[in-house]
Every structure is written in C-alpha cells, then in structure tokens.
Amino acid sequence: MSDHRVVEEPAEGGGAALEAGGWLGVLPVAFVATGADGRIVRWDQVAQELLGYRAREAVGRHIVELLHPEADRSLGRSLWEAAAAGRGVMGAVTAWHRDGRPVELEIWARPVAGDRSGAGLLVFAADAHAAGRVRGSSAVWDGLFSRSPIGIAVLDTRLRFLRVNPALQAMNGLPETAHVGRTLAQLLPQVTAAPMEEVMRRVLGTGEPVLDFRRTGRTPADPGHDRVWSCSYVRLEDAAGRPVGITASMVDITEQERATAELEASRRRLALLNEATLRIGTTLDLDRTAQELAEVAVPAFADAVTVDVVESLVADGDPGSGLVGGAALRRLGKAPLGGSAIAGVLAPLGGTLTFPATAPYTQVLAERQPYLLARLDARSIAPAERYSDKPARLLRLGVHSVMMVPLIARGVVSGLATFYRAATGEPFAAADVTLAADLAGRAAVCVDNARLYAREHDTAVVLQRSMLPQHVTPPPGVEIAHRYLAASDTNEVGGDWYDVVPLPGGRAALMIGDVMGHGIPAAAVMGRLSSTVRALARLNLDPGHVLQQLEAVLADLAEPMLATFLYVVADPATGRCQLTRAGHPPPAVVTSDGHAQLLDLPSGVPLGIGGHDFTTTEITLPPGSLLVLYTDGLVEARGRDIDERLAELTRLLSHPDPSLSHLCDTLLTQLLPASADDDIALLVARIGTRPTDGT
C-alpha cells in the first residue's frame, strides 16, 4: 500500500475526528481501533465491506501489516510518530483489498489514551471517491446554507434547533446561539408554534415533505408588525432511512401577501362600486335613494350605516343657508333595519336629529370633509356623553371604528352618511375613506337629482294646473265633467290638458290634448297651445283650420315639440258633431241605451310634424249621448296590450253612472294602478237632453 497527502495536526484540534464524524450518516465510514501495540482490537462491518477482511481475520493483527502488507512502512511510521507526539493524521491512501485490487481510501486517525503501555489509535476510513462526491455536495450545501436569502434551519427529532443560517437569524432577530437546543415555541412565543410543530411531526412520521405552509406572527426582528412566512419541511434520514431530524426553509412573503391583499381589497372595492352604480338611484325618490346607499354598504363594507339629509332640503328642497347654530338632519337611510343590536341603538328612520355646532356631524357638513375615528374608545366618546348615551352603548356593543362622509353634489351639501364597524372587522383606514367618499358621491348626485326633480316637478304641476281651465261653463244642452290627474311623484309631469269653449249658435268646442314630453317644457308648451286654441275657437273657425294654426304655433318653437290633439264642435240642439283628430286616442260614444263604442275616425298625425292635412268627420248623436275624451295615460299600462285596455274602457262605459262626475271617478278607479305612470286628462260631455221614460 502506498500513502499520499498524509497531514499531521495537533490532537487538541480534534479536526480529524470531527471531519470523520461529519460523514457519519452521509456515507459508509469504517471504524477501526488499535491497542497501544498497534494491533487491531475493533473492526466493524463497514471496514469488512471496504477491504474484504472479516473481523476474525483482522482483529489481533498489526494495523500496519493489515493495511500495508508490502515493504513500504511510511504510513506506519507516520501513524506511530503521530501517536507518540499526540497528533492526528488525515490523508488519502491506497490500500489493497483482500482479493488483491487497490482501494483508494481517505482516513482520519488520532491517538487515544491507553494504559501504561502507551496510546492506541482510532482510525476512520471511507472510500475516497465517495468522500469526494460528498465533500463536493457538502461545499454546495454549506454555500447555500450560509449565503441563501431563504431562512434555513436544521432541527432534531424533538424539534430543537441544531443549526440556523444567517438569513433565518435575521428573520427571527436572534443569533444562532439563542436558537440551538430550543424549540420554536420556546424561542418565539409570538409565533403560533403549535400548528407548525404539528406539521413538522407529521413530516417526521410520514417522510412526506410539506411545501408552502403559511403562518403569521411577530418576531424580535419586527415586534410591532405581523409577518407572513411560507414554510417548507423535509425529513432528514441516515443511510438506513431512519429519521434523524428535519430541515425547514422559510421565505418571508409579507410584502407579496400585502400586495395580494391590496389587490383583493381593490377588487372588492371595485365590485362594491359597481354594485352601488346598479343599486343606488333607481328612482328619483329621496327616501329610497338614501336607503339604497345604506343597504349597499352593509355588510360588505360596514356593520351598520345611517344616511341623514339636511332637514330643510327634505322639507322644501332648500339645502339651507348655514350651520352656525348647529345642524338639523332627517334620517332617511339605515341598515340593517332590524336584527342588529347596533342598529337598535341608532335613531330610527324618519326622525329629525339636531346637533350642536361643535358636533362631528355639523363639522362634516360645514367643512365638507370626511371624519374618521379609527379607534373608538372611552376617551374619544367623552365629549359626546354630555348629549347622549348612545356612543357609550355602541362601544359596549363592540363598535370600534366610525366614519362620517358628506354627501356633496354640484357644490351642494345635502347630508352625510355614517359607517360603523364592530367585532372582528378591521378599523377604517384611508382606503376606506376613499371608498366611502365614492359611495357617498354617487348617492349625493342621486339625492341632488331627486331634489332638482322634486323642484321641477312641483313647478311643472303648479304651471300646468294654472293653465288648465279653472271655470268651465258649457252652453245650455251640454253637461260636462272633467278630471286631471298628475303623474305620481316618481314620474315627471306631462303636458295633458282639456278645455270647453262656448261657440255662437249654442254650440260648444270640446278639446283635449297631450304635449309629448315631460316637465316644465311640456307644461309651458301645453299652456301656449291651450291659450291659442281657445282664441281660435272663439273665431268660429273650421276645425281643420284650427289644427293648421296650432301646427304653425309649434313650428315657431325653438325646440321641436309634438302634441296629440282632438277637437270636437258639438251642437246640442241637433246632436251634430264635427270631430278632427291629430294622432290622439279615439273618443268613445255612449248612447242613452248604454251602447258604448270607440269612434272610427281618421287618426291623423300629431301636431308638430307638418306637411299633412287634417280630416274632419261629421256624425249625429242621439239626444243624451255621451262623448268621452281622454289622454293616453288612461288606457296605456306597462305590460298590457292597448287593444285590451280600450276594450276594458268600452266595457266600463256600457253601464254608465247617471252622474258624469261619478262616471269619471269610476273610470279612474278601475283603469289606473295605485300610482299613475303618466298624466291623465279626462273630459266627459252629455250632448243634448236625455229622453225621459214615456216620451
């Protein structure tokens, strides 16, 4: 056997034994012991596998003879000189296998104290090629362990730290010496260790690795903030496959988790805004709009919400002139409406609330800025306790965060929305203020639209009613009854009107019209047409000529407008009637025997289209017949066929009430829903004297 690279080192360094021990469990290492005389006293199974000698063949033989049976004694001399000097030996040697082939070995030898006869040797040996491969892997492992940005730890089977790399030391804020020998629960009490240790025990027991197990906690490196880690665990095994420990790798993913959470929060905010767009402002009703804002925010954004509108705006559409003396607010929105202890503390819907000038409610309105109380506590509610016990009650119910946001649209502050969070919800933050402002802004526009609509609606109603005939005086022989019904408050007022004008010769002009459109413009055009046609009727013009003049009136308007119109000239003495129709619903006739029918007249085109002539039809009615004139609001209904509605009208007229006033009421009651979608004008005229029984 020839020796190579034999290196001596001080025995007290222990390097040879330590390095040899480092291979244990990684590759097969032979263990050989000699006495002071150099004869082998121990020869293990790995030694037999390396060199082929059985223990009975090796024990008792001199180690030099066994390892080096030929003449070269340099290894023996090195060993004995080292033993005499108390030093260890490391080196690469070539030994001869029992079957005569060479075996490259790496050895680690050091003297051990013996009896009076001298020191013996402990020799560790391993296949040189295998040791080289392991040494290369170990260098990679050591480099990875020391330089990796990933936190790495090696733990024993009792889950005590054995080794910790610098990255994990930085994560935990503790040096390696603080880790070694301690469990995770002992080392970091602010990290929930039980689930992590449970996972590691499972890995030790099954051998199945666990990847990306996520935990949250705090360490001395950042004691004021929660951190999130992605943990992976792999079992360590010896050459026989027995578990000897576990390696844990940890990546701090706090920033990624924060980014993911922010992205998810942004998605939720966008979804809530989209929902608000669909659900807020479905009508022009102020109360409904306020309630829609409250309902859309619960429970997705807050545990409870109230919406309060300036009292003067609710009462007369005026947002008020100032808040120097405090604020009076009407509660129009609240969610949830029931089933919540928190909602039970808050003032009910419809109530008027008054606040002093120094109250947050008033300040939000005056300064037009949100008010955020991220942490509600006894100190923060102390100023309000002089006025109400509700803040203290809310605090006891778990409310911990409150936010108020003004409702502002077109420069007008119409009220404010208050949001409450309780229980485990996170406190309101800056992003929540932004979202609440967006929700309130959308609602504020709808509230202001409702305010403006209510003002225009009221103006249009007043204008239209002022232009309807106040005192209708028909000529002798003509009996009339009439009704005008404005659309419900949630629908715009139209341009419906009617009139009766006495004509020379005891005749009467009966007329009814409907300006297409809604609101003040339609009412204004209606007034212009009604005034014009009254003047034209008194000139005793032919009905067709009257309609042509009305056509000219509409042509003079700056903005195009259309109107349907029905004009009737009736002579009660003869029953002769001239009827001219301009796109208006057909009139109904009811004879004294109860026969009702719709008159088949040329429909014509609405006024305002131009370029068309109007046809006048002449009929003669039996004495006492009824003419029924109406606008489309009486017979048109959503989801109903117009022919069915007209048939229903004639059915009701087949049993007319002797009182024309009662007949009008019957038609309105039977044909209309609870609230009308459109204006309705109705004019019923009895032409001539009814025949009496026996005449």
Side-chain angles (χ1 to χ4, degrees):
M1 166 178 148
S2 60
D3 55 351
H4 313 278
R5 301 186 305 279
V6 178
V7 179
E8 297 180 11
E9 63 173 19
E12 57 272 16
L18 288 174
E19 185 167 350
W23 301 131
L24 294 174
V26 180
L27 80 164
V29 177
F31 174 60
V32 179
T34 73
D37 58 358
R39 294 186 179 278
I40 297 172
V41 296
R42 181 172 178 178
W43 183 268
D44 68 0
Q45 181 64 30
V46 178
Q48 176 180 328
E49 293 171 357
L50 279 175
L51 296 178
Y53 296 98
R54 296 183 176 86
R56 65 176 179 270
E57 296 175 312
V59 173
R61 299 180 62 179
H62 199 284
I63 189 171
V64 174
E65 295 177 357
L66 184 60
L67 292 176
H68 193 352
E70 297 189 358
D72 188 351
R73 302 289 182 174
S74 59
L75 176 60
R77 286 195 299 270
S78 297
L79 290 173
W80 295 120
E81 289 174 1
R87 295 190 297 271
V89 175
M90 292 188 298
V93 300
T94 301
W96 294 101
H97 194 274
R98 186 174 182 274
D99 59 11
R101 57 183 173 85
V103 178
E104 298 289 336
L105 297 178
E106 286 198 16
I107 64 167
W108 303 265
R110 65 168 295 152
V112 293
D115 53 20
R116 295 180 181 178
S117 61
L121 286 178
L122 289 179
V123 179
F124 299 92
D127 182 273
H129 299 292
R133 288 193 301 270
V134 172
R135 183 178 291 107
S137 299
S138 179
V140 172
W141 162 253
D142 287 342
L144 175 66
F145 191 84
S146 61
R147 297 182 179 87
S148 174
I150 299 173
I152 303 173
V154 178
L155 300 92
D156 63 17
T157 54
R158 296 174 65 183
L159 304 184
R160 295 173 300 189
F161 285 98
L162 298 177
R163 191 176 179 189
V164 180
N165 78 334
L168 188 57
Q169 296 174 44
M171 287 183 190
N172 292 342
L174 296 169
E176 185 174 33
T177 54
H179 289 74
V180 174
R182 303 174 71 184
T183 65
L184 181 64
Q186 295 170 337
L187 184 71
L188 299 172
Q190 287 188 292
V191 174
T192 308
M196 301 173 76
E197 292 183 340
E198 180 182 350
V199 170
M200 287 190 281
R201 289 190 185 94
R202 187 168 72 246
V203 171
L204 280 172
T206 65
E208 293 293 328
V210 170
L211 306 178
D212 196 26
F213 177 74
R214 300 193 175 190
R215 295 305 301 163
T216 301
R218 299 185 180 188
T219 71
D222 187 11
H225 302 89
D226 285 336
R227 310 295 296 182
V228 184
W229 300 280
S230 172
C231 308
S232 298
Y233 305 104
V234 178
R235 187 172 79 175
L236 298 176
E237 301 173 347
D238 62 13
R242 294 183 297 268
V244 296
I246 194 167
T247 179
S249 60
M250 302 171 199
V251 180
D252 190 322
I253 58 171
T254 304
E255 297 306 320
Q256 297 93 311
E257 287 291 294
R258 183 176 293 120
T260 300
E262 290 176 355
L263 181 62
E264 177 62 21
S266 297
R267 188 198 63 78
R268 289 196 301 269
R269 287 194 291 269
L270 181 60
L272 184 59
L273 288 175
N274 289 337
E275 184 179 3
T277 301
L278 298 175
R279 292 178 56 185
I280 297 176
T282 57
T283 69
L284 287 170
D285 180 77
L286 188 61
D287 294 51
R288 183 62 215 158
T289 299
Q291 184 62 25
E292 286 168 346
L293 170 58
E295 291 176 351
V296 81
V298 175
F301 183 64
D303 294 292
V305 176
T306 58
V307 181
D308 304 310
V309 177
V310 175
E311 173 67 24
S312 59
L313 187 148
V314 179
D316 55 23
D318 184 357
S321 57
L323 300 164
V324 175
L329 302 171
R330 179 85 62 87
R331 180 144 296 170
L332 298 185
K334 178 181 175 182
L337 289 174
S340 165
I342 295 172
V345 173
L346 303 174
L349 289 176
T352 298
L353 312 173
T354 57
F355 300 96
T358 56
Y361 285 86
T362 309
Q363 294 301 312
V364 168
L365 297 174
E367 298 175 6
R368 303 186 174 202
Q369 294 294 326
Y371 172 82
L372 173 62
L373 188 58
R375 293 288 183 182
L376 189 70
D377 53 29
R379 181 177 180 182
S380 62
I381 67 172
E385 288 185 307
R386 293 181 297 169
Y387 306 99
S388 172
D389 66 342
K390 290 183 178 180
R393 292 168 63 189
L394 292 173
L395 185 61
R396 289 195 295 270
L397 289 172
V399 174
H400 59 75
S401 194
V402 179
M403 175 172 52
M404 301 177 184
V405 180
L407 306 179
I408 305 174
R410 304 182 183 98
V412 175
V413 181
S414 55
L416 58 83
T418 306
F419 302 85
Y420 301 85
R421 275 189 183 168
T424 58
E426 289 292 323
F428 288 120
D432 297 313
V433 174
T434 301
L435 176 56
D438 287 340
L439 293 174
R442 292 169 187 264
V445 170
C446 297
V447 167
D448 200 53
N449 287 343
R451 176 183 71 87
L452 296 176
Y453 164 74
R455 176 181 294 177
E456 180 175 327
H457 180 273
D458 293 344
T459 302
V461 168
V462 171
L463 177 61
Q464 187 175 41
R465 290 188 182 279
S466 69
M467 292 181 177
L468 289 172
Q470 303 300 310
H471 303 285
V472 178
T473 306
V478 177
E479 180 186 354
I480 66 167
H482 51 84
R483 295 288 186 273
Y484 170 76
L485 184 64
S488 63
D489 287 344
T490 56
N491 296 279
E492 293 188 82
V493 174
D496 296 19
W497 94 96
Y498 59 86
D499 205 350
V500 178
V501 179
L503 299 179
R507 296 173 302 153
L510 312 175
M511 62 197 75
I512 193 165
D514 182 2
V515 176
M516 297 182 187
H518 296 89
I520 294 175
V525 172
M526 178 272 288
R528 192 166 181 175
L529 288 177
S530 65
S531 299
T532 302
V533 74
R534 175 174 278 270
L536 291 172
R538 289 195 173 103
L539 294 176
N540 200 24
L541 298 176
D542 178 81
H545 189 54
V546 171
L547 268 66
Q548 291 293 346
Q549 294 301 313
L550 294 179
E551 183 81 43
V553 170
L554 291 179
D556 291 338
L557 297 176
E559 295 292 334
M561 296 288 284
L562 300 178
T564 64
F565 188 59
L566 176 61
Y567 188 71
V568 181
V569 176
D571 186 347
T574 64
R576 180 171 172 264
C577 297
Q578 295 174 296
L579 303 95
T580 307
R581 184 178 169 202
H584 201 80
V589 170
V590 186
T591 59
S592 58
D593 61 0
H595 176 69
Q597 66 175 346
L598 299 174
L599 292 179
D600 186 11
L601 305 175
S603 62
V605 297
L607 299 173
I609 292 180
H612 295 270
D613 293 329
F614 298 97
T615 302
T616 300
T617 302
E618 187 172 311
I619 63 172
T620 299
L621 298 176
S625 297
L626 302 181
L627 267 176
V628 181
L629 283 60
Y630 53 91
T631 55
D632 57 4
L634 183 69
V635 293
E636 290 183 352
R638 294 177 185 174
R640 296 288 304 277
D641 182 78
I642 184 63
D643 292 333
E644 293 179 0
R645 296 281 290 172
L646 290 172
E648 189 173 355
L649 170 64
T650 57
R651 181 183 61 79
L652 291 171
L653 291 173
S654 298
H655 308 282
D657 193 296
S659 167
L660 299 189
S661 180
H662 289 169
L663 177 60
C664 289
D665 293 337
T666 298
L667 293 178
L668 294 176
T669 301
Q670 296 296 319
L671 292 175
L672 296 183
S675 60
D677 292 332
D678 195 4
D679 287 20
I680 297 169
L682 175 63
L683 176 63
V684 179
R686 178 176 284 119
I687 309 301
T689 305
R690 287 184 296 173
T692 59
D693 294 339
T695 60

